[in-house]
């Protein structure tokens, strides 16, 4: 299982601070496909962080990794 | 000192953190909650953050600055939670033997925060509320992440 | 708040002076007494000023800033007398709805102070003392006065 | 009489914070000549302020005006 942390408007959209996926391993692009198909989230402005670092599209996510969806930031 | 905190920021403490015998110049930036954006009146703000990653990214900005402007010392504290008008949301302090470097490095820090540190602001207006960063017109990142440097 | 004082500068007070509900960005510059200039070690400094004219010139800088960057608010305090290593000699605070303006206007203020505000620094080193500004190589003003703007 | 305030290294050079000239009226250039001849001060990097404002070379100084010699400044 892979846990995906969500923040800001995504947390409100999903009504919870994390999504739990059944996959044991998938790439960032595959994660985007899962989010589009199963969670109705199709937004390329959302970045994906793996283990607290922005991830490339071909990076492999494994069970146990910390994954987070990062919508465009607005701090400062 | 690179921190995300949920309590008021002590500006003096952040500034003192970077002062030392060979500083010469210290530039501090305070980002505060502004009441008016155009004609729209903000009542209060809420900031949320992915804290461990945001802290790591603030530390990364500190390393970028130390590399680009040798001899500088920097500190960044960002506040999260509910903030009222006039409250400081972020304080950045940079000291340097050279004043030009202190200004430039400080400016670099705030631009980088607004670009890639996972912190989000929700504006509460008289007539509604909205998470900022999610509007149409927001720049998307074609590579899936912000560039390492602008 | 445009002052020449002979007591320690309260940085927080200068900063608070420019903060208001629509500021958004506040940039503060602190010029401190540095121990090392190259390999020369400063023991302490003495600042002297032609106080009424210096105060008028700080006010002039404030007007220049208000004109060039509308919506900004500025405050400048310079200390005179004997200053030890690490002491703040000058504090400049500028608030603005726009952070770019706060940085630029602040930078303008320190450049103008170093150009035309009648304040002089005497360095006391381990091996001597000297009034700064009187060295060979100092820029002379062919027109007999500094330009109104750089 | 015209009183001329002096600061920094000039105050040390003259051993006093002011010079008192006998003239009742003179231009800034004439003042420079008097300073060169009577006070051994010939330094074009020194600016002259009249009534707390930098003065042009042809400005006229009259008894009662506040005059000051401003060596290159070094504040900040």
């Amino acid at each position: 299982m892979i846990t995906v942390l969500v923040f800001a408007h995504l947390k409100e959209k999903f009504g919870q601070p994390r999504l739990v996926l059944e996959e044991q391993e998938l790439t960032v692009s595959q994660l985007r496909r899962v989010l589009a198909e199963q969670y109705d989230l199709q937004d390329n402005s959302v970045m994906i962080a793996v283990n607290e670092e922005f991830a490339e599209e071909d990076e492999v996510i494994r069970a146990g990794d910390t994954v987070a969806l990062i919508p465009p930031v607005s701090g400062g | 000192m690179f921190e995300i905190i949920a309590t008021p920021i002590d500006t003096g403490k952040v500034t003192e953190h970077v002062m030392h015998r060979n500083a010469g110049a210290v530039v501090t930036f305070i980002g505060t909650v502004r009441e008016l954006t155009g004609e729209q009146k903000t009542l209060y703000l809420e900031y949320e953050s992915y804290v461990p990653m945001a802290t790591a990214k603030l530390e990364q900005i500190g390393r970028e600055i130390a590399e680009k402007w040798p001899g500088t010392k920097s500190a960044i504290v960002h506040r999260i939670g509910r903030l009222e008008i006039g409250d400081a949301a972020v304080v950045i302090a940079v000291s340097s033997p050279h004043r030009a470097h202190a200004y430039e490095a400080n400016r670099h820090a705030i631009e980088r925060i607004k670009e890639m540190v996972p912190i989000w602001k929700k504006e509460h207006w008289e007539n509604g509320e909205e998470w900022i960063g999610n509007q149409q017109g927001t720049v998307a990142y074609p590579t899936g992440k912000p560039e390492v440097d602008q």
Side-chain angles (χ1 to χ4, degrees), chain A, chain B:
Chain A
M1 286 194 314
I2 290 167
T3 303
V4 179
L5 305 173
V6 296
F7 301 94
H9 75 278
L10 294 179
K11 190 163 74 176
E12 291 180 359
K13 173 186 167 82
F14 296 124
Q16 52 186 40
R18 60 179 62 80
L19 310 175
V20 179
L21 311 184
E22 287 166 14
E23 282 77 0
Q24 287 298 312
E25 186 174 314
L26 77 182
T27 65
V28 168
S29 329
Q30 286 167 339
L31 171 61
R32 287 194 187 276
R33 214 143 41 217
V34 171
L35 292 170
E37 285 163 10
Q38 295 175 31
Y39 294 89
D40 188 31
L41 178 71
Q42 202 154 11
D43 184 348
N44 280 325
S45 75
V46 171
M47 296 170 275
I48 290 169
V50 179
N51 299 328
E52 298 165 12
E53 189 52 87
F54 294 108
E56 306 280 352
E57 291 299 301
D58 58 0
E59 186 161 334
V60 178
I61 303 165
R62 293 185 178 81
D65 283 340
T66 305
V67 182
L69 304 187
I70 313 285
V73 304
S74 52
Chain B
M1 181 187 255
F2 298 95
E3 295 173 3
I4 306 290
I5 63 176
T7 49
I9 305 174
D10 181 339
T11 304
K13 210 173 122 192
V14 182
T15 304
E16 273 157 38
H17 192 81
V18 304
M19 292 179 90
H20 58 92
R21 297 178 78 77
N22 287 310
V26 183
V27 172
T28 303
F29 174 86
I30 310 172
T32 62
V33 179
R34 195 172 58 185
E35 183 164 41
L36 291 174
T37 302
E39 298 200 334
Q40 203 153 27
K41 200 170 173 175
T42 297
L43 298 178
Y44 65 94
L45 293 185
E46 262 181 283
Y47 279 96
E48 184 178 316
S49 174
Y50 178 18
V51 176
M53 181 170 170
T55 308
K57 287 293 162 194
L58 295 183
E59 286 166 356
Q60 177 188 325
I61 293 171
R63 286 192 303 273
E64 287 173 8
I65 288 175
E67 201 169 303
K68 205 162 172 179
W69 294 277
T72 56
K73 200 178 163 189
S74 57
I76 309 174
V77 179
H78 201 299
R79 182 174 171 191
I80 55 173
R82 178 177 165 141
L83 274 75
E84 309 297 329
I85 305 301
D87 282 350
V90 62
V91 174
I92 303 165
V94 178
S95 69
S96 169
H98 311 285
R99 67 182 182 282
H101 293 185
Y103 283 107
E104 286 163 21
N106 195 295
R107 183 82 189 270
H108 175 84
I110 185 64
E111 300 302 336
R112 290 293 275 158
I113 288 169
K114 288 177 177 285
E115 192 175 65
M116 62 88 174
V117 177
I119 301 170
W120 301 272
K121 170 167 76 175
K122 189 179 196 172
E123 293 257 10
H124 292 261
W125 295 298
E126 282 172 325
N127 55 348
E129 53 181 49
E130 187 173 16
W131 282 103
I132 308 301
N134 189 35
Q135 304 92 329
Q136 272 206 318
T138 295
V139 179
Y141 299 94
T143 63
K145 59 174 186 175
E147 298 303 314
V148 171
D149 207 334
Q150 324 88 311

